[in-house]
């Protein structure tokens, strides 16, 4: 099957395995407009691939995804149409990932930040490199953690722990991510790709009807629990995107990144 995606998100096929690679390595796989749109579209294309059985999601280079591209996010300050489209696509990314029928293994090879953390954690199995970390720094830049963190972290880990990391944006190292239930297991960095492929091979041999139906039932709980919080989170994120505090913090962050 031919995938209609920009080069910033690639799909490679090997038998029943599809590897989706976030492919902006020079920018630490930060999410720009093209990548954001591709992440919303890829799941339906994968679902239409009748030969696919298992998906591995990973990042090119030394990061999984370092969150939103600062230039792209800054453009929202003066472009409400693009801002609102990003919110619509953000909801689509989460909803399509939850609906996707095949098992997804996240091979978190490096930092997974913001939306990067969300799509990693919402995968069915999260293998995290011992050199990787998770973080959701939305609040630190004046935003509500609307694209998933505030809505679904409390479903996976104790609320008290979720609050600390969401309120501060602090990094969660790999061992702590496993302890909290935000990752399945930690893997040495040089063994991560092979561990993901080995697990994918096992899942590809499972009875597909039983596996996909089991995933659908499990994700019913997530979808039902997330329906209200996700809508509220995205609505609140739009409001904070228009705040002076967000504008000031975002400009300061971008200025530091350019030095």
């Amino acid at each position: 099957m031919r995938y209609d995606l920009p080069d910033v998100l690639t799909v490679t096929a090997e038998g029943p395995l599809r590897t989706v690679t976030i492919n902006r390595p020079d920018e630490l796989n930060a999410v720009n407009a093209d990548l954001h749109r591709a992440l919303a579209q890829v799941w339906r294309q994968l679902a239409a691939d009748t030969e696919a059985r298992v998906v591995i999601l990973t990042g090119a280079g030394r990061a999984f995804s370092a969150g939103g591209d600062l230039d792209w996010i800054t453009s929202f300050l003066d472009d409400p149409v693009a801002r609102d489209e990003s919110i619509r696509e953000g909801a689509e990314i989460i909803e399509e990932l939850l609906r996707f029928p095949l098992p997804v293994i996240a091979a978190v090879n490096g930092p997974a930040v913001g939306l990067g953390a969300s799509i990693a954690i919402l995968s069915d199995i999260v293998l995290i490199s011992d050199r990787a970390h998770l973080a959701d720094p939305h609040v630190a830049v004046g935003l509500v953690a609307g694209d998933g963190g505030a809505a679904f972290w409390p479903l996976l880990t104790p609320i008290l722990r979720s609050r600390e990391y969401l309120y501060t944006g602090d990094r969660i190292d790999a061992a702590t991510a496993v302890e909290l239930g935000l990752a399945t297991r930690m893997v040495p960095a040089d063994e991560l790709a092979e561990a993901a492929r080995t697990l994918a091979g096992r899942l590809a041999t499972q009875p597909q009807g039983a596996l996909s139906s089991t995933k659908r039932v499990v994700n019913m709980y997530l979808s039902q629990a997330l329906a209200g919080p996700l809508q509220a989170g995205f609505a609140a994120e739009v409001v904070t995107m228009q705040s002076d505090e967000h504008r000031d913090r975002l400009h300061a962050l971008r200025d530091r990144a350019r030095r």
Side-chain angles (χ1 to χ4, degrees):
M1 174 174 168
R2 183 179 181 277
Y3 286 82
D4 183 18
L5 298 166
D7 292 342
V8 291
L9 191 70
T10 65
V11 179
T12 55
E14 183 179 350
L17 171 62
R18 301 294 178 268
T19 300
V20 177
T21 303
I22 304 170
N23 189 36
R24 300 187 73 215
D26 292 341
E27 294 79 19
L28 299 180
N29 299 320
V31 179
N32 65 359
D34 286 344
L35 179 53
H36 202 252
R37 189 174 307 111
L39 285 168
Q41 296 171 348
V42 67
W43 305 108
R44 290 188 184 184
Q45 295 187 35
L46 285 162
D49 186 343
T50 58
E51 301 300 318
R53 293 292 180 269
V54 185
V55 174
I56 294 174
L57 177 63
T58 194
R62 58 193 179 93
F64 182 82
S65 174
D69 181 275
L70 291 177
D71 288 336
W72 181 54
I73 294 173
T74 303
S75 73
F76 299 158
L77 298 175
D78 301 306
D79 189 347
V81 173
R83 178 197 68 211
D84 292 347
E85 177 65 10
S86 78
I87 292 295
R88 186 199 63 77
E89 281 181 352
E92 186 178 4
I93 291 168
I94 302 301
E95 291 163 1
E96 290 295 331
L97 186 50
L98 285 171
R99 277 195 291 262
F100 183 62
L102 302 179
V104 179
I105 301 168
V108 183
N109 54 304
V113 179
L115 180 60
S118 292
I119 61 174
I121 294 167
L122 278 177
S123 298
D124 296 287
I125 297 172
V126 184
L127 305 183
I128 187 168
S129 162
D130 56 1
R131 300 176 188 168
H133 67 263
L134 308 175
D136 193 328
H138 278 78
V139 170
V141 292
L143 292 177
V144 170
D147 61 12
F152 64 75
W153 284 24
L155 298 176
L156 305 174
T157 193
I159 289 178
L160 286 174
R161 302 294 297 276
S162 297
R163 285 173 179 148
E164 178 179 3
Y165 287 111
L166 289 170
Y167 293 179
T168 64
D170 286 350
R171 294 181 177 184
I172 305 172
D173 62 55
T176 304
V178 174
E179 173 203 341
L180 293 175
L182 298 176
T184 308
R185 55 187 162 99
M186 182 173 67
V187 180
D190 58 357
E191 299 175 15
L192 180 66
E194 185 58 32
R197 286 170 55 84
T198 298
L199 180 56
R202 288 185 62 192
L203 295 182
T205 64
Q206 295 284 64
Q208 291 304 302
L211 183 58
S212 62
S213 293
T214 297
K215 172 173 178 172
R216 185 176 67 250
V217 173
V218 171
N219 277 11
M220 281 181 183
Y221 291 102
L222 284 175
S223 296
Q224 290 171 2
L226 288 174
L230 271 177
Q231 290 179 3
F234 280 117
E237 188 172 2
V238 170
V239 173
T240 52
M241 279 178 163
Q242 301 171 66
S243 71
D244 290 338
E245 188 171 33
H246 168 58
R247 178 182 292 269
D248 293 344
R249 290 193 173 224
L250 187 56
H251 280 308
L253 181 62
R254 188 176 66 167
D255 290 346
R256 287 199 301 272
R258 289 176 169 177
R259 290 173 189 165

